[in-house]
Amino acid sequence: MSRVQMITIGPGEGDQRLDRWLKRTFPQLGQGRIEKMCRKGELRVDGARCKASTRIEVGQEIRIPPLPSTDAPKPQPTSRVSAADAKMMQDAVLYKDDDIIVLNKPAGLPVQGGSKQTRHVDGLSEALRFGADEKPRLVHRLDKDTSGVLILGRTRAAASALTAAFRHRETRKIYWALVAGVPTPYLGEIKYGLVKAPGHGRGGEGEKMFCVHPRDMNDTPGAKRAHTLYATLYRVAGRASWVAMEPVTGRTHQLRAHMAEIGHPIIGDGKYGGSGQDNMGDGWGSQLGGIISKKLHLHARRLLIEHPVTRKVMEFTAPLPDHMAQSWETFGWTEDLAADDPFESLQ
């Protein structure tokens, strides 16, 4: 039996649940035992009773009761990332330092696990330790089929600061897309709210966002306000356009739902543009046909964010994925044709 321990939460260990900190510090402790120690008042935070879900901060003192010496540490999971996946993840790195890693996320790779998703960025990020004690942490999301800039925190403190920056809209994200038809006016904004319709699968698979007119927001339960800026950069006659988009809010499927709502769905978007619908030049249909890929043409091109430690504003740009680069080549477009900030006049 160990003695009573008094442990002070150190730098980089704050802003997390007590039970998660305990499991990292004492791997032999299970959730049931932690809950029991809380109920009995054996665990204390700054001398006060606490719950397993209590959030702890740097500088707080945790009282740990005697722990049985017979509890053997639980074996730690080993990485199961294949050599091919590890190379894929490391090749996707755009930038890294001691605090952050920036990826050009491949299209088709989910960010997190979910229904029937066992291979995802969160799991494969084991390959991105580069000598660190822990794998990088997710701080924001991209849809499975959306490629582009994805930033991760390499320390708990960095991840917490980055998460707060996204939550408080202290970042700028610019996306590129190929859409059906030609949006007019060429520079505009979309302010339809969004409400989620439940999916049909056992785990809610297939959920879809529906647009709500601003005048109907107060009468639509569950509707959330959403705001997107868009700029039409180049076009192919009346059939398709290269569009830049900046989400002012960050709702699920916001860009895809908004563009479809104004009659210009993103090419390859079977959920919001109709996978079987051909674009006949009338501004609708998510497929162009011919040699244009049927994959989703949506890419997180640019991210501006304040570094969580140096506080320097940093800018990251991701080159187009192969299927979009091939479409751009088909239309005679090159990446340098677009201004870095097509929304500069709106700022």
Side-chain angles (χ1 to χ4, degrees), residues 33 46 56-57 59 62 88 126 157 196 208 227 274 293 310 318:
R33 169 155 309 188
D46 283 345
I56 57 176
E57 301 294 342
I62 313 299
M88 182 258 309
E126 284 284 348
K196 183 185 295 185
K208 188 173 180 178
H227 186 189
S293 172
T310 68

Side-chain angles (χ1 to χ4, degrees), residues 221-237:
K224 296 182 178 179
R225 299 193 180 278
H227 186 189
T228 298
L229 307 179
Y230 74 86
T232 307
L233 305 180
Y234 292 90
R235 62 181 185 172
V236 183

Side-chain angles (χ1 to χ4, degrees), residues 268-291:
D269 191 350
K271 182 182 288 285
Y272 293 95
S275 59
Q277 297 185 18
D278 291 330
N279 179 312
M280 304 306 292
D282 58 356
W284 184 253
S286 68
Q287 300 300 341
L288 291 178
I291 64 172

Side-chain angles (χ1 to χ4, degrees), residues 29-38 43 67-68 71:
L29 287 178
Q31 187 68 27
R33 169 155 309 188
I34 294 172
E35 299 278 359
K36 184 177 180 180
M37 289 191 297
C38 288
L43 270 173
L67 302 177
D71 279 347

Side-chain angles (χ1 to χ4, degrees), residues 34-298:
I34 294 172
E35 299 278 359
K36 184 177 180 180
M37 289 191 297
C38 288
R39 286 195 303 271
K40 296 176 67 176
E42 296 174 337
L43 270 173
R44 299 267 174 161
V45 177
D46 283 345
R49 296 180 71 99
C50 55
K51 296 181 179 179
S53 60
T54 296
R55 297 196 74 82
I56 57 176
E57 301 294 342
V58 173
Q60 288 186 318
E61 189 175 61
I62 313 299
R63 178 192 185 276
I64 310 295
L67 302 177
S69 57
T70 54
D71 279 347
K74 294 181 179 179
Q76 296 301 296
T78 57
S79 172
R80 296 187 179 182
V81 180
S82 69
D85 279 342
K87 183 178 186 304
M88 182 258 309
M89 293 295 288
Q90 291 167 7
D91 287 349
V93 174
L94 296 171
Y95 173 87
K96 70 179 175 70
D97 61 25
D98 291 341
D99 306 293
I100 64 175
I101 287 182
V102 183
L103 304 179
N104 183 6
K105 185 189 84 67
L109 181 66
V111 169
Q112 280 185 301
S115 176
K116 301 180 181 178
Q117 301 292 350
T118 58
R119 181 173 173 270
H120 44 77
V121 172
D122 191 31
L124 298 182
S125 64
E126 284 284 348
L128 301 177
R129 287 178 181 253
F130 297 111
D133 292 337
E134 296 183 84
K135 69 178 185 179
R137 296 173 171 85
L138 296 173
V139 298
H140 68 125
R141 310 286 183 267
L142 290 177
D143 288 348
K144 172 186 174 183
D145 294 318
T146 301
S147 57
V149 181
L150 183 75
I151 187 169
L152 299 89
R154 297 193 71 186
T155 67
R156 182 170 300 281
S160 179
L162 291 170
T163 299
F166 281 101
R167 183 187 305 123
H168 299 303
R169 302 178 191 172
E170 296 169 349
T171 67
R172 287 194 66 201
K173 293 177 285 183
I174 294 177
Y175 291 73
W176 282 358
L178 181 64
V179 306
V182 182
T184 53
Y186 291 152
L187 182 64
E189 55 186 340
I190 307 167
K191 292 188 175 180
Y192 285 98
L194 294 170
V195 64
K196 183 185 295 185
H200 302 293
R202 184 175 180 180
E205 302 92 330
E207 67 180 23
K208 188 173 180 178
M209 307 302 291
F210 286 91
C211 288
V212 179
H213 195 282
R215 65 170 175 263
D216 299 323
M217 287 292 296
N218 293 336
D219 299 323
T220 306
K224 296 182 178 179
R225 299 193 180 278
H227 186 189
T228 298
L229 307 179
Y230 74 86
T232 307
L233 305 180
Y234 292 90
R235 62 181 185 172
V236 183
R239 292 202 64 196
S241 302
W242 172 1
V243 169
M245 294 172 286
E246 180 174 353
V248 180
T249 54
R251 308 301 184 195
T252 301
H253 296 176
Q254 176 178 318
L255 302 180
R256 297 164 62 187
H258 269 176
M259 293 310 296
E261 183 65 21
I262 65 171
H264 302 285
I266 296 171
I267 298 303
D269 191 350
K271 182 182 288 285
Y272 293 95
S275 59
Q277 297 185 18
D278 291 330
N279 179 312
M280 304 306 292
D282 58 356
W284 184 253
S286 68
Q287 300 300 341
L288 291 178
I291 64 172
I292 301 303
S293 172
K294 293 185 177 181
K295 293 181 180 179
L296 182 70
H297 284 62
L298 179 60

